[in-house]
Amino acid sequence: MKSEASKTIRLALPIIIGELAQMALHLIDTAMVGAISYKQLAAAALVVNTMNIPFVIGIGMTISVSQMVSLAHGKRDGQLVSHYLFNGFCLCALTAVIISLTLVFGKNILFHLGQDPEVVTLALPFMQLMGLSIIPMLLFMTLKQFTDGLEFTKTAMILSLAGMPINILLNWLLIYGNWGFPRLELIGAGWATLITRSLIFIALAITILKHKTFSKYIAVSKNQWKLRTKTLGELLHIGIPSSLQIGMEAGAFAVSGIIIGTIGAVAQAAHQIALSCASFTFMVSMGLAQAGSIRVSNAFGQSNWPKISTIGKSTMITALIYGIFCAIGFAVFRHQLPKAFNDDSQVLEMAGLLLLFAAVFQISDSTQAISAGLLRGIKDVKAPTMLIAIAYWVIGLPTGYILSFHFEMGPSGIWLGLIIGLTLASVFLINRFLKMSKRNNQS
């Protein structure tokens, strides 16, 4: 089991670094915008919370590419790999355009969420730019899922890391107006994100088309790059439930942020700081989940259930250890971390309190993400989607709302509801994977 954990970690490490690099771009934006004012920070938070659900739904659709590519790779069928690449890219491109246009033309929804009017005014142009940037980002994610599914995880990692200094430089120029550039503040952060995401997508596309590592999949494009209804159906069978799973968790956090925004801009800014920190650590869990899912899917293609069980259990133990480490870190540094984002005393005090709640759910957040990934690897997606819906939307979020407003606990009540939802999701999904692997090992 120890060797399987090591293999999963080695596969996961470049994925994790790439995910952290992408999250770092968001944290850098947040910190550089927050240095202007907490109203600008609250506006950025409002946009991120509003667009997060459709964005992660798009990411969920890209996951279908890595799942089907890794399954075909496990069967040693290079032509099928190429076929899934083309059909997956077309499907995800269509999804990206639909999501982007919905956000761009539906940006006025921000006026109807009960937020601070000044915050909404600041948020509108930022919403439009971030909506447009979803297209290159989801296209990049699609190609990343292809390379990850083949276990070439370093390719996208290098490009994600290369995007960081580009984004920082563009932020410095456009947010603050250095070197003669216009001072655009929050809008500048939007332009920097759009440009950076476009550049890394183009770079990854050129790499796949031109590099010899992927040449055998490109060489058969004439025969395999054809849209087929059956193939699109297979991708949707994985993509839609995966989108719903990730969307429901992200949606719970996004709706929580919008609810907290009705309390005030200070609460919204504090929530965004705590959530940004929690999201950063969650990227490691997502990387482990994806690596575990790819390895399980590869073994599933070979019908090797003993290996599936060993990979699953070892990855869960890794997730548990990581969750404990993060919980301790958040609890110890809860007063220091918020200072990287803002210097308002009220915001810092509330963010420190919310980071304590974030520390509590680190273990369950990590284990539920890994368990969901393992279940996707064995193509079990429908039942886990229902279990996640119950945990977050039937129990967790309503409980948080009641605690926040009826028991007057404010933002703390919302975060307690998130803890309950994440814990239940973790218990449900771990139990399901263990039962399925045991049943198939015995048959």
Side-chain angles (χ1 to χ4, degrees):
M1 188 176 290
K2 189 175 180 181
S3 65
E4 292 296 345
S6 298
K7 290 177 184 176
T8 303
I9 291 170
R10 281 198 299 271
L11 179 63
L13 195 56
I15 300 176
I16 290 168
I17 293 172
E19 297 283 2
L20 289 177
Q22 291 296 328
M23 179 54 63
L25 293 178
H26 167 62
L27 291 178
I28 290 164
D29 284 350
T30 302
M32 294 180 81
V33 167
I36 300 171
S37 74
Y38 76 84
K39 292 268 187 174
Q40 298 259 353
L41 178 60
L46 174 60
V47 170
V48 170
N49 287 327
T50 303
M51 65 183 290
N52 204 29
I53 299 175
F55 182 42
V56 297
I57 286 173
I59 292 176
M61 193 62 71
T62 70
I63 287 175
S64 65
V65 176
S66 65
Q67 292 298 306
M68 300 312 296
V69 164
S70 60
L71 183 67
H73 187 55
K75 295 177 179 179
R76 304 293 185 263
D77 191 338
Q79 297 220 13
L80 188 58
V81 168
S82 180
H83 182 64
Y84 281 130
L85 164 63
F86 177 73
N87 281 262
F89 186 84
C90 292
L91 180 63
C92 293
L94 178 62
T95 303
V97 171
I98 292 171
I99 291 172
S100 177
L101 292 178
T102 300
L103 291 171
V104 170
F105 290 104
K107 64 182 182 295
N108 287 337
I109 193 176
L110 298 180
F111 285 114
H112 307 287
L113 299 176
Q115 307 295 300
D116 183 319
E118 186 180 345
V119 169
V120 173
T121 302
L122 289 168
L124 281 175
F126 184 62
M127 175 83 158
Q128 184 160 328
L129 289 166
M130 292 300 289
L132 288 172
S133 74
I134 278 182
I135 295 177
M137 188 59 192
L138 287 183
L139 294 180
F140 172 80
M141 290 294 297
T142 303
L143 297 181
K144 176 186 179 297
Q145 295 289 352
F146 165 69
T147 58
D148 288 350
L150 295 173
E151 301 191 13
F152 295 118
T153 54
K154 293 180 181 178
T155 310
M157 175 200 75
I158 293 169
L159 291 174
S160 295
L161 289 173
M164 289 181 64
I166 295 172
N167 186 254
I168 292 170
L169 175 61
L170 290 172
N171 274 343
W172 186 73
L173 295 174
L174 299 174
I175 293 176
Y176 306 125
N178 289 306
W179 286 357
F181 282 81
R183 181 183 172 93
L184 300 176
E185 299 186 341
L186 183 57
I187 298 173
W191 277 112
T193 299
L194 176 59
I195 295 168
T196 303
R197 287 177 171 180
S198 299
L199 289 174
I200 62 173
F201 159 61
I202 293 168
L204 183 54
I206 292 172
T207 302
I208 291 172
L209 290 172
K210 301 296 183 182
H211 199 280
K212 63 181 181 180
T213 301
F214 308 103
S215 59
K216 65 180 179 180
Y217 305 113
I218 306 303
V220 297
S221 60
K222 191 173 182 180
N223 296 325
Q224 295 300 328
W225 286 17
K226 298 174 183 176
L227 287 173
R228 289 180 185 160
T229 305
K230 182 183 176 184
T231 306
L232 293 172
E234 289 175 336
L235 290 161
L236 288 169
H237 177 74
I238 299 295
I240 291 175
S242 297
S243 295
L244 291 174
Q245 286 177 15
I246 301 173
M248 281 187 288
E249 179 179 357
F253 280 95
V255 169
S256 297
I258 292 169
I259 293 171
I260 288 172
T262 64
I263 298 172
V266 170
Q268 174 77 300
H271 171 78
Q272 183 61 25
I273 290 171
L275 186 58
S276 294
C277 294
S279 298
F280 191 83
T281 58
F282 182 66
M283 288 301 101
V284 177
S285 300
M286 284 293 288
L288 281 170
Q290 190 171 346
S293 184
I294 289 167
R295 296 199 65 225
V296 163
S297 183
N298 195 296
F300 187 71
Q302 302 166 20
S303 300
N304 190 342
W305 276 97
K307 188 174 183 180
I308 289 170
S309 179
T310 305
I311 292 170
K313 290 176 182 177
S314 63
T315 309
M316 286 180 187
I317 293 170
T318 305
L320 179 63
I321 294 169
Y322 172 71
I324 293 170
F325 174 79
C326 290
I328 294 171
F330 275 12
V332 171
F333 296 106
R334 66 186 183 277
H335 296 304
Q336 287 75 32
L337 290 171
K339 292 178 182 178
F341 300 90
N342 196 256
D343 57 4
D344 183 272
S345 59
Q346 288 181 291
V347 172
L348 293 178
E349 183 180 354
M350 186 173 291
L353 173 62
L354 296 182
L355 277 172
L356 270 181
F357 291 105
V360 174
F361 70 57
Q362 287 302 295
I363 296 171
S364 55
D365 200 18
S366 183
T367 51
Q368 66 84 24
I370 271 75
S371 302
L374 295 172
L375 289 166
R376 281 195 297 272
I378 58 174
K379 308 301 173 277
D380 180 38
V381 287
K382 291 183 180 178
T385 302
M386 292 299 298
L387 293 173
I388 289 171
I390 292 168
Y392 295 142
W393 291 89
V394 177
I395 301 173
L397 201 57
T399 301
Y401 184 86
I402 292 168
L403 291 173
S404 180
F405 292 97
H406 292 275
F407 288 88
E408 299 182 352
M409 294 181 66
S412 298
I414 295 292
W415 279 67
L416 275 172
L418 293 172
I419 290 171
I420 293 168
L422 287 164
T423 303
L424 287 174
S426 178
V427 172
F428 290 160
L429 297 177
I430 289 173
N431 185 56
R432 182 166 179 84
F433 178 81
L434 293 176
K435 279 186 175 180
M436 290 192 71
S437 58
K438 183 179 180 181
R439 183 169 67 243
N440 283 282
N441 267 325
Q442 292 173 345
S443 60

